[in-house]
Amino acid sequence: MAKYELPKVPYAYDALEPHIDARTMEIHHTKHHQAYTDGLNNALATQSPEIQNMELTKLLANLDKVAENVRGAVNFHGGGYENHALFWNSMKPNGGGKPGSGILDAINSVFGNFDSFKEKFTKDTIAIQGSGWGWLTYNPQGKKVEFTTMPNQTSPRTKGLVPLLGLDVWEHAYYLKYQNRRADYVNAWWNVINWDEVDNRLSKAKS
Ligand code: MN3
């Protein structure tokens, strides 16, 4: 059984230059994302058809259903699989700027205004210790967006949150171009965000 395949990146590896360089994109996708894909398939291979056939988003939100001996692997590789698929699709060449009305209203109602949100996301994501992600999520309980950081590849879904926009701050995401300058990478990333995609995710999460 090899249910999961490496998802496509919807633009060329050099399309996000100069903000994210082609070599980083290529290695990040073909090596790192591939490794999460393989790791997820391997972990699920030992599980029942019921678990194997469960939607990944559901699986990540219900890790207690997975046998204990592979739970950590499904958390890590399953999170890594979905996080990266979301990541590629939430970027585009000539992206950035301010988001459209739906997501902007949601951001404004929680953070006051877009600049305050951007400042918090930037500051708290740069401050992540070790490897992890900064996330704008939708909380279906509170019916509002929220910012959270997650360690390693753990999905926001494990906390009942729907991921809307995530930034990977593992060193593999930026070290070739930015070396130790994580802040420069985070600041550059705002220029490639695909806000239409983020807005679509919010609409879906609310419906
Ligand atoms: Mn990564």
Side-chain angles (χ1 to χ4, degrees), residues 28 32 36 84 133 153 168 170 172-173:
H28 200 172
H32 294 276
Y36 302 124
H84 287 83
W133 292 67
Q153 298 297 350
D168 183 348
W170 282 56
H172 69 227

PDB file of all heavy atoms in Angstrom, residues 28 32 36 84 133 153 168 170 172-173, ligand 1:
ATOM      1  N   HIS A  28      13.564  21.004  -0.920  1.00  0.00           N
ATOM      2  CA  HIS A  28      12.482  20.974   0.070  1.00  0.00           C
ATOM      3  C   HIS A  28      11.343  20.073  -0.418  1.00  0.00           C
ATOM      4  O   HIS A  28      10.788  19.266   0.328  1.00  0.00           O
ATOM      5  CB  HIS A  28      11.978  22.408   0.292  1.00  0.00           C
ATOM      6  CG  HIS A  28      11.240  22.625   1.568  1.00  0.00           C
ATOM      7  ND1 HIS A  28      10.863  23.870   1.994  1.00  0.00           N
ATOM      8  CD2 HIS A  28      10.799  21.769   2.524  1.00  0.00           C
ATOM      9  CE1 HIS A  28      10.227  23.769   3.158  1.00  0.00           C
ATOM     10  NE2 HIS A  28      10.171  22.497   3.486  1.00  0.00           N
ATOM     11  N   HIS A  32      12.618  16.553   1.148  1.00  0.00           N
ATOM     12  CA  HIS A  32      11.959  16.618   2.447  1.00  0.00           C
ATOM     13  C   HIS A  32      10.480  16.203   2.370  1.00  0.00           C
ATOM     14  O   HIS A  32      10.029  15.354   3.131  1.00  0.00           O
ATOM     15  CB  HIS A  32      12.102  18.023   3.049  1.00  0.00           C
ATOM     16  CG  HIS A  32      13.510  18.365   3.384  1.00  0.00           C
ATOM     17  ND1 HIS A  32      14.117  17.991   4.557  1.00  0.00           N
ATOM     18  CD2 HIS A  32      14.470  19.013   2.672  1.00  0.00           C
ATOM     19  CE1 HIS A  32      15.377  18.402   4.573  1.00  0.00           C
ATOM     20  NE2 HIS A  32      15.615  19.030   3.433  1.00  0.00           N
ATOM     21  N   TYR A  36       8.454  12.816   4.042  1.00  0.00           N
ATOM     22  CA  TYR A  36       7.232  12.768   4.853  1.00  0.00           C
ATOM     23  C   TYR A  36       6.189  11.862   4.188  1.00  0.00           C
ATOM     24  O   TYR A  36       5.466  11.122   4.866  1.00  0.00           O
ATOM     25  CB  TYR A  36       6.648  14.175   5.071  1.00  0.00           C
ATOM     26  CG  TYR A  36       7.619  15.118   5.739  1.00  0.00           C
ATOM     27  CD1 TYR A  36       7.968  16.336   5.152  1.00  0.00           C
ATOM     28  CD2 TYR A  36       8.213  14.789   6.956  1.00  0.00           C
ATOM     29  CE1 TYR A  36       8.875  17.199   5.748  1.00  0.00           C
ATOM     30  CE2 TYR A  36       9.126  15.655   7.560  1.00  0.00           C
ATOM     31  CZ  TYR A  36       9.449  16.848   6.943  1.00  0.00           C
ATOM     32  OH  TYR A  36      10.363  17.693   7.542  1.00  0.00           O
ATOM     33  N   HIS A  84       3.149  20.650   4.200  1.00  0.00           N
ATOM     34  CA  HIS A  84       3.894  21.080   3.011  1.00  0.00           C
ATOM     35  C   HIS A  84       2.971  21.258   1.805  1.00  0.00           C
ATOM     36  O   HIS A  84       3.163  22.173   1.005  1.00  0.00           O
ATOM     37  CB  HIS A  84       5.055  20.137   2.722  1.00  0.00           C
ATOM     38  CG  HIS A  84       6.189  20.298   3.706  1.00  0.00           C
ATOM     39  ND1 HIS A  84       6.192  19.685   4.928  1.00  0.00           N
ATOM     40  CD2 HIS A  84       7.313  21.069   3.660  1.00  0.00           C
ATOM     41  CE1 HIS A  84       7.294  20.047   5.593  1.00  0.00           C
ATOM     42  NE2 HIS A  84       7.982  20.890   4.848  1.00  0.00           N
ATOM     43  N   TRP A 133       6.514  25.477  12.946  1.00  0.00           N
ATOM     44  CA  TRP A 133       5.731  26.294  12.013  1.00  0.00           C
ATOM     45  C   TRP A 133       4.951  27.369  12.782  1.00  0.00           C
ATOM     46  O   TRP A 133       4.458  27.121  13.882  1.00  0.00           O
ATOM     47  CB  TRP A 133       4.684  25.419  11.296  1.00  0.00           C
ATOM     48  CG  TRP A 133       5.228  24.402  10.335  1.00  0.00           C
ATOM     49  CD1 TRP A 133       5.972  23.299  10.646  1.00  0.00           C
ATOM     50  CD2 TRP A 133       5.036  24.374   8.915  1.00  0.00           C
ATOM     51  NE1 TRP A 133       6.257  22.583   9.497  1.00  0.00           N
ATOM     52  CE2 TRP A 133       5.695  23.219   8.430  1.00  0.00           C
ATOM     53  CE3 TRP A 133       4.369  25.209   8.010  1.00  0.00           C
ATOM     54  CZ2 TRP A 133       5.701  22.888   7.073  1.00  0.00           C
ATOM     55  CZ3 TRP A 133       4.380  24.865   6.657  1.00  0.00           C
ATOM     56  CH2 TRP A 133       5.051  23.723   6.195  1.00  0.00           C
ATOM     57  N   GLN A 153       6.566  18.849  13.036  1.00  0.00           N
ATOM     58  CA  GLN A 153       5.552  18.786  11.970  1.00  0.00           C
ATOM     59  C   GLN A 153       4.149  18.592  12.525  1.00  0.00           C
ATOM     60  O   GLN A 153       3.219  18.290  11.775  1.00  0.00           O
ATOM     61  CB  GLN A 153       5.878  17.636  10.994  1.00  0.00           C
ATOM     62  CG  GLN A 153       7.188  17.766  10.258  1.00  0.00           C
ATOM     63  CD  GLN A 153       7.248  18.989   9.354  1.00  0.00           C
ATOM     64  OE1 GLN A 153       6.239  19.678   9.120  1.00  0.00           O
ATOM     65  NE2 GLN A 153       8.417  19.268   8.828  1.00  0.00           N
ATOM     66  N   ASP A 168       6.828  27.511   7.391  1.00  0.00           N
ATOM     67  CA  ASP A 168       7.812  26.507   7.783  1.00  0.00           C
ATOM     68  C   ASP A 168       9.109  27.219   8.161  1.00  0.00           C
ATOM     69  O   ASP A 168       9.717  27.891   7.323  1.00  0.00           O
ATOM     70  CB  ASP A 168       8.035  25.591   6.561  1.00  0.00           C
ATOM     71  CG  ASP A 168       8.978  24.428   6.824  1.00  0.00           C
ATOM     72  OD1 ASP A 168       9.649  24.411   7.867  1.00  0.00           O
ATOM     73  OD2 ASP A 168       9.035  23.543   5.949  1.00  0.00           O
ATOM     74  N   TRP A 170      11.678  25.432   9.687  1.00  0.00           N
ATOM     75  CA  TRP A 170      12.783  24.482   9.780  1.00  0.00           C
ATOM     76  C   TRP A 170      13.964  25.078   9.005  1.00  0.00           C
ATOM     77  O   TRP A 170      13.763  25.731   7.983  1.00  0.00           O
ATOM     78  CB  TRP A 170      12.399  23.149   9.132  1.00  0.00           C
ATOM     79  CG  TRP A 170      11.518  22.261   9.949  1.00  0.00           C
ATOM     80  CD1 TRP A 170      10.303  22.572  10.489  1.00  0.00           C
ATOM     81  CD2 TRP A 170      11.785  20.895  10.303  1.00  0.00           C
ATOM     82  NE1 TRP A 170       9.802  21.485  11.158  1.00  0.00           N
ATOM     83  CE2 TRP A 170      10.688  20.443  11.064  1.00  0.00           C
ATOM     84  CE3 TRP A 170      12.842  20.016  10.044  1.00  0.00           C
ATOM     85  CZ2 TRP A 170      10.620  19.146  11.572  1.00  0.00           C
ATOM     86  CZ3 TRP A 170      12.765  18.730  10.551  1.00  0.00           C
ATOM     87  CH2 TRP A 170      11.671  18.305  11.314  1.00  0.00           C
ATOM     88  N   HIS A 172      15.829  23.719   6.966  1.00  0.00           N
ATOM     89  CA  HIS A 172      15.849  23.252   5.564  1.00  0.00           C
ATOM     90  C   HIS A 172      15.035  24.158   4.648  1.00  0.00           C
ATOM     91  O   HIS A 172      15.191  24.116   3.429  1.00  0.00           O
ATOM     92  CB  HIS A 172      15.397  21.775   5.452  1.00  0.00           C
ATOM     93  CG  HIS A 172      13.948  21.511   5.736  1.00  0.00           C
ATOM     94  ND1 HIS A 172      13.504  20.500   6.555  1.00  0.00           N
ATOM     95  CD2 HIS A 172      12.811  22.113   5.290  1.00  0.00           C
ATOM     96  CE1 HIS A 172      12.179  20.492   6.602  1.00  0.00           C
ATOM     97  NE2 HIS A 172      11.748  21.466   5.837  1.00  0.00           N
ATOM     98  N   ALA A 173      14.152  24.965   5.226  1.00  0.00           N
ATOM     99  CA  ALA A 173      13.297  25.843   4.424  1.00  0.00           C
ATOM    100  C   ALA A 173      14.008  27.124   3.980  1.00  0.00           C
ATOM    101  O   ALA A 173      13.529  27.828   3.092  1.00  0.00           O
ATOM    102  CB  ALA A 173      12.036  26.208   5.206  1.00  0.00           C
TER     103      ALA A 173
HETATM  104 MN   MN3 B   1       9.780  21.790   5.465  1.00  0.00          MN
END
